Amino acid sequence: MSDLPPTVKGMNDILPPEVSKWQFVEEKARAVLEAFAYRELRTPILEYTPLLVRSVGEDTEVVEKQMYTFADRDGQSVSMRPENTASAVRAYIARSQWNREPVTRWYYLGPMFRHERAQRGRLRQFHQVGAEVFGLASPAIDAEMIAMLVALLAEMGIKSSDLEVAVNTLGEPEERASFREALRGYFSHHLDKLDEDSRKRLQTNPLRILDSKDPDIQALAVNAPVLLDSLGEASKRHFEAVLSHLSALGIQSVVDTKLVRGLDYYTGTIFEVKAKLGDLGAQNALGGGGRYDRLVSSLGGPEVPAIGFALGVERVLLALAEPAEDFEPVLALFIAVLGEKAQAWALPVAHRLRMGGVRTELEHRPASLKSQLKRADALKARLALIVGDNELQSGKLLLRDLATRQQHEVTEAELAAKIRQLVDF
RNA sequence: GUGGACGUAGCUCAAUGGUAGAGCAUCGGACUGUGGCUCCGACGGCUGGGGGUUCGAUACCCCUCGUCCACCCCA
């Protein structure tokens, strides 16, 4: 045992019953996103590194320190996707999607990879459900997206009262640039109060100083310039419209002017949904996203506005208090057989029932009836079919309801109908 | 990348410088073809790995691997 190599750090096997909870979340995600008329997009897990560097941003933490990057056998640098927006945009451009339809709505679901130190709610292979819309600039779609994210969580069983929806706007790149200078000016006057990290950020990305968790810096940030003040009329109007659409949709949200996203491609509206309850540690952001109106063109496509979000599946799972066992599928029937004749009889019978949609487990080990019923009980089967020489001779099978302990005598011909009658599915 | 805690049976955890134990789970029996409760029994461990101190290490020391928590960052 001890010489068995473990899984790669931060990457886990997911087994039953836990996997049932995953399936539940994935099914709900698909159902809601399909209801919003999104279609599924599947892109490769590996992308050429420059695509990711150019979209996510060269100076971001993700690109600098977290990507799984290596040389392919032909020498090309490839990376495992740390997020899926870059791939979606690549596919959008490569397939000339903008020529085929004015508006494209895609969703995706799958593993992402970031080489970080693992902790609660943060793994190196983690999973996201995400959605992207291309071709819409209206603030209404910003609000719709946020509402969709909240609806997604609601369907999964996380009430909106357990959520905090934070929104902010980054404005146009030009507006952000002037704000960045304003921030530099402000913090430069307080250099002595900044820690090492923040001083570094003063050069690279002063916006990040705002969401520092250091109390001293937070105190300093209170009086810092506010981005909203640097915005032009158009940006302000857009953001205000988003807010009013959100309240029309009944979404409780808070404007968090310190909210900054870690990926460079964001412009305009950004948002984040945090869980107030649940079993999450410090990583309580369930999902987040925003507008990236310049990304399509900066990667060589036309000027198409876009917006999207990603939801962390592991974090949703943590926020969902219900135990994984509750999501397991119901076993309708356990077939207990006594003797070789019964065994031989049961194999094709079980097969037909299964083809008819009856979830059935057939005992293949020679075992006492007692232990077979124990097994049926442990599997939480609803019914047990008991077949031995007596039943085969009389043609009357014993169908036992494991909850009520009632036993019904049925013929083979009646079996399927009787099962349906006793188990509602 | 930084700081800290912890690795003993499938799981949750004991043990003390004297060579490993309980509960749960699993399997069997009491109950010969009738499950959940009870009782009895069995299975199960190179105490994460390596090195050191010692007559003797699960315990003390060092290294390593892993897990967890927090920072950073993010989903």
Side-chain angles (χ1 to χ4, degrees), chain A residues 153-217:
Chain A
L153 290 165
E155 274 299 300
M156 292 168 184
I158 301 169
K159 299 193 296 281
S160 59
S161 57
D162 294 335
L163 298 176
E164 183 184 303
V165 180
V167 292
N168 192 21
T169 180
L170 295 173
E172 295 300 312
E174 302 73 32
E175 294 161 356
R176 210 180 340 163
S178 72
F179 173 60
R180 200 175 289 132
E181 285 319 307
L183 271 185
R184 278 209 183 99
Y186 172 77
F187 284 116
S188 299
H189 290 298
H190 302 280
L191 264 185
D192 50 316
K193 292 182 191 143
L194 294 180
D195 58 7
E196 198 189 332
D197 268 359
S198 297
R199 275 182 215 181
K200 206 178 292 169
R201 289 188 192 134
L202 194 57
Q203 301 308 316
T204 57
N205 191 354
L207 271 70
R208 298 225 68 93
I209 302 176
L210 293 177
D211 64 352
S212 167
K213 280 176 190 162
D214 187 311
D216 293 341
I217 291 170

Side-chain angles (χ1 to χ4, degrees), chain A residues 135-324:
Chain A
L136 293 176
S138 143
I141 190 63
D142 301 24
E144 187 184 288
M145 235 177 175
I146 295 168
M148 184 166 80
L149 179 51
V150 172
L152 213 52
L153 290 165
E155 274 299 300
M156 292 168 184
I158 301 169
K159 299 193 296 281
S160 59
S161 57
D162 294 335
L163 298 176
E164 183 184 303
V165 180
V167 292
N168 192 21
T169 180
L170 295 173
E172 295 300 312
E174 302 73 32
E175 294 161 356
R176 210 180 340 163
S178 72
F179 173 60
R180 200 175 289 132
E181 285 319 307
L183 271 185
R184 278 209 183 99
Y186 172 77
F187 284 116
S188 299
H189 290 298
H190 302 280
L191 264 185
D192 50 316
K193 292 182 191 143
L194 294 180
D195 58 7
E196 198 189 332
D197 268 359
S198 297
R199 275 182 215 181
K200 206 178 292 169
R201 289 188 192 134
L202 194 57
Q203 301 308 316
T204 57
N205 191 354
L207 271 70
R208 298 225 68 93
I209 302 176
L210 293 177
D211 64 352
S212 167
K213 280 176 190 162
D214 187 311
D216 293 341
I217 291 170
Q218 277 187 349
L220 200 60
V222 170
N223 295 315
V226 174
L227 174 64
L228 275 171
D229 298 335
S230 310
L231 293 183
E233 275 311 307
S235 290
K236 272 187 194 162
R237 262 204 312 276
H238 184 99
F239 190 54
E240 276 156 20
V242 171
L243 295 179
S244 83
H245 282 132
L246 277 178
S247 64
L249 281 162
I251 306 285
Q252 296 275 340
S253 64
V254 293
V255 175
D256 179 358
T257 56
K258 295 189 183 63
L259 179 64
V260 178
R261 310 250 77 217
L263 312 179
D264 279 357
Y265 51 65
Y266 287 114
T267 54
T269 312
I270 56 172
F271 52 91
E272 188 168 284
V273 175
K274 290 180 199 164
K276 289 192 277 191
L277 300 172
D279 198 17
L280 286 94
Q283 312 301 326
N284 66 343
L286 298 178
R291 245 183 201 289
Y292 49 96
D293 289 344
R294 310 286 179 100
L295 184 57
V296 176
S297 60
S298 83
L299 287 176
E303 290 206 0
V304 173
I307 180 168
F309 71 73
L311 183 65
V313 176
E314 281 83 357
R315 293 190 185 170
V316 170
L317 258 16
L318 287 173
L320 235 60
E322 253 194 291

Side-chain angles (χ1 to χ4, degrees), chain A residues 37-69:
Chain A
Y38 285 69
R39 307 295 306 280
E40 184 174 354
L41 168 74
R42 300 193 188 193
T43 61
I45 283 170
L46 290 180
E47 294 281 359
Y48 287 118
T49 305
L51 171 77
L52 297 164
V53 173
R54 278 171 62 197
S55 8
V56 172
E58 210 164 341
D59 296 327
T60 56
E61 187 100 355
V62 170
V63 164
E64 276 186 338
K65 307 200 257 185
Q66 301 177 349
M67 274 206 307
Y68 279 89
T69 297

